[in-house]
Amino acid sequence: MFSDMYVVFTNDEGNWWSNFLHPKIKHCYVIVPSQGSWIVHSKTTGKFDLFNACNINGIIEPNSIVIGCKQRPGSRSLLIINTCVGHTKQLLGINKPFILTPHQLYKHLRKYHGNETKST
């Protein structure tokens, strides 16, 4: 199955709120295949990353979970939460206001998309 984009779920221990999140799924970001390379879209605490990468091995960390998704048209919300989950939901066209954590987004995508792989 061809996917428009992929959501990568990783562990991120670097923030004070990490203790309140799922033990293994604390961050998410989007990668999009584009003409033989990859576009990476990631929101972290201090910055917003948007860049091209030629090799996917340098993008996805070991033990990450990757879910392939089709982008859906979605209405633009006036308010998005400025987190990795908020940006990922906006890119995917998901209009579910109560999906707030990476683990909640993971469960939603797994239920509705089911195209999951784990990196080793």
Side-chain angles (χ1 to χ4, degrees):
M1 177 179 157
F2 177 75
S3 298
D4 290 331
M5 52 185 54
Y6 299 88
V7 180
V8 180
F9 294 93
T10 63
N11 189 1
D12 179 17
E13 297 288 341
N15 302 303
W16 64 267
W17 60 83
S18 294
N19 294 329
F20 300 106
L21 298 174
H22 187 272
K24 295 182 181 175
I25 300 176
K26 298 181 181 185
H27 179 62
C28 60
Y29 58 94
V30 175
I31 56 175
V32 182
S34 176
Q35 300 177 1
S37 64
W38 298 88
I39 299 171
V40 180
H41 179 283
S42 177
K43 169 68 175 122
T44 58
T45 305
K47 62 184 178 173
F48 173 81
D49 290 326
L50 182 63
F51 61 90
N52 287 338
C54 294
N55 188 350
I56 197 166
N57 293 332
I59 300 170
I60 300 175
E61 299 171 2
N63 300 319
S64 296
I65 300 169
V66 181
I67 297 181
C69 301
K70 290 279 189 187
Q71 186 177 28
R72 295 193 167 108
S75 61
R76 296 283 183 210
S77 174
L78 293 175
L79 300 171
I80 72 162
I81 297 176
N82 194 20
T83 63
C84 61
V85 175
H87 284 266
T88 301
K89 288 189 323 183
Q90 187 173 22
L91 284 171
L92 294 174
I94 296 173
N95 296 320
K96 303 282 185 184
F98 296 108
I99 296 176
L100 301 172
T101 68
H103 188 254
Q104 289 172 328
L105 180 60
Y106 165 74
K107 289 191 310 185
H108 174 80
L109 293 178
R110 196 176 79 193
K111 181 176 181 180
Y112 293 104
H113 296 276
N115 189 8
E116 175 182 336
T117 59
K118 293 189 181 207
S119 69
T120 55

